Amino acid sequence: MEMQQEANQQQGSEVSPNQTIYINNLNEKVKLDVLKKSLNDVFSHFGKILEVKAFKTLKHKGQAWVVFEEAESASTAIAKMNDFPFYDKRMRIQYAKTKSDVVAKADGTFVPREKRKRHEEKGGKKKKDQHHDSTQMGMANSAYPSVYGTAPPLSQVPYPAGVKPILPEAPAPPNNILFVQNLPHETTPMMIQMFFSQYQGFKEIRMVEAKPGIAFVEYADEMQSTVAMQGLQGFKIEQDPMLITYAKK
DNA sequence: AGCACA
């Protein structure tokens, strides 16, 4: 008969809706400023953001708080973005458990908290148990809810309308094609061919008229592309140093 | 896994 109440307790935890969302399962390899900026970019689709907070302490990495001006924005954000692939991991989003300081300050209810448990700042250099270095980027998470059935590859997950996918800026793995950026817009293939063709294995330059300033340079194999990259990295065509990375496949 | 406010 009544089977409509499950929508309310999607997290299995009882936290009342409020204007701050708590996000975890974030990719811990992403630098903090980049992470916060990307979170801001993504979540500003749902309303005005007052603040984005994230920390890199052991207890808090992989997590972030996004404070909206309106609680409704937070609700929409959760509904639309929970399990959203973000830097190759699915964001898990809930309402934050406690009121954010910015909000309390606006409320007038802010009371400076007592010194909490002394934050373990990184004073010593003990790093015994942090060797989880296994790169698990791109592994589908098997434990996420029903909507997609069995987890599809992240690359196939549909994105909510109006939200651009955030592609990991993680460097592409070494391969035989180089991606060259920061070229003067007048650059022609011939101009840079002079440089790239002096390296063994050079095959071709590809440029797209619609996208000035970039080029793809193909070599026979990744050894050769790597040598060329190392030789030409930062080389200045006019005055701007070119930025060379491996192309995404 | 882990809910803070440098």
Side-chain angles (χ1 to χ4, degrees):
Chain A
M1 307 304 177
E2 309 118 28
M3 46 188 197
Q4 78 282 27
Q5 339 223 52
E6 58 198 87
N8 289 339
Q9 41 216 66
Q10 49 202 21
Q11 299 306 127
S13 63
E14 308 278 338
V15 179
S16 49
N18 67 87
Q19 63 196 268
T20 303
I21 56 174
Y22 167 77
I23 309 167
N24 67 359
N25 199 44
L26 291 168
N27 190 330
E28 298 177 9
K29 292 178 187 151
V30 181
K31 287 169 301 306
L32 225 55
D33 48 334
V34 174
L35 179 77
K36 291 204 271 187
K37 168 124 182 4
S38 300
L39 287 171
N40 188 84
D41 289 346
V42 168
F43 284 104
S44 55
H45 286 265
F46 304 101
K48 174 119 190 283
I49 292 175
L50 298 181
E51 189 171 44
V52 176
K53 291 223 167 281
F55 312 86
K56 63 175 184 302
T57 50
L58 311 312
K59 185 133 180 286
H60 300 292
K61 42 197 223 177
Q63 301 153 78
W65 288 258
V66 176
V67 188
F68 289 98
E69 190 171 76
E70 305 287 343
E72 189 189 329
S73 307
S75 306
T76 316
I78 294 176
K80 291 267 209 311
M81 301 299 285
N82 190 32
D83 291 322
F84 185 79
F86 187 75
Y87 293 108
D88 276 344
K89 298 199 51 162
R90 288 173 183 278
M91 292 192 273
R92 298 290 140 75
I93 317 178
Q94 301 161 256
Y95 294 106
K97 264 179 203 163
T98 59
K99 186 186 284 186
S100 300
D101 283 0
V102 259
V103 176
K105 280 168 181 161
D107 271 346
T109 65
F110 179 71
V111 31
R113 60 182 62 74
E114 296 300 323
K115 292 207 159 183
R116 297 201 144 256
K117 273 299 182 67
R118 176 173 312 235
H119 270 223
E120 301 264 331
E121 286 305 332
K122 43 183 63 176
K125 41 184 69 175
K126 46 183 66 172
K127 48 176 181 178
K128 46 165 72 170
D129 52 7
Q130 289 305 106
H131 287 288
H132 291 270
D133 215 8
S134 54
T135 300
Q136 53 197 30
M137 305 253 295
M139 301 270 297
N141 187 329
S142 57
Y144 82 98
S146 47
V147 210
Y148 304 111
T150 57
L154 289 171
S155 57
Q156 296 175 13
V157 172
Y159 295 98
V163 177
K164 285 175 296 190
I166 297 300
L167 297 180
E169 65 160 53
N175 66 81
N176 64 314
I177 303 177
L178 301 177
F179 178 51
V180 185
Q181 295 165 270
N182 207 31
L183 295 167
H185 284 201
E186 325 77 52
T187 307
T188 64
M190 273 190 28
M191 292 167 64
I192 56 174
Q193 175 159 351
M194 304 172 46
F195 305 114
F196 287 94
S197 63
Q198 50 186 345
Y199 291 88
Q200 289 298 316
F202 172 83
K203 295 179 79 166
E204 68 165 349
I205 308 264
R206 290 191 296 274
M207 293 180 79
V208 184
E209 298 85 335
K211 298 214 166 243
I214 67 171
F216 296 89
V217 185
E218 181 169 351
Y219 288 84
D221 65 43
E222 84 178 45
M223 292 301 183
Q224 297 166 326
S225 65
T226 300
V227 172
M229 176 193 292
Q230 287 163 354
L232 292 171
Q233 188 68 267
F235 188 87
K236 292 174 183 153
I237 296 269
E238 285 187 351
Q239 42 193 353
D240 299 315
M242 45 179 160
L243 171 63
I244 311 178
T245 56
Y246 295 105
K248 284 178 283 192
K249 304 203 115 167

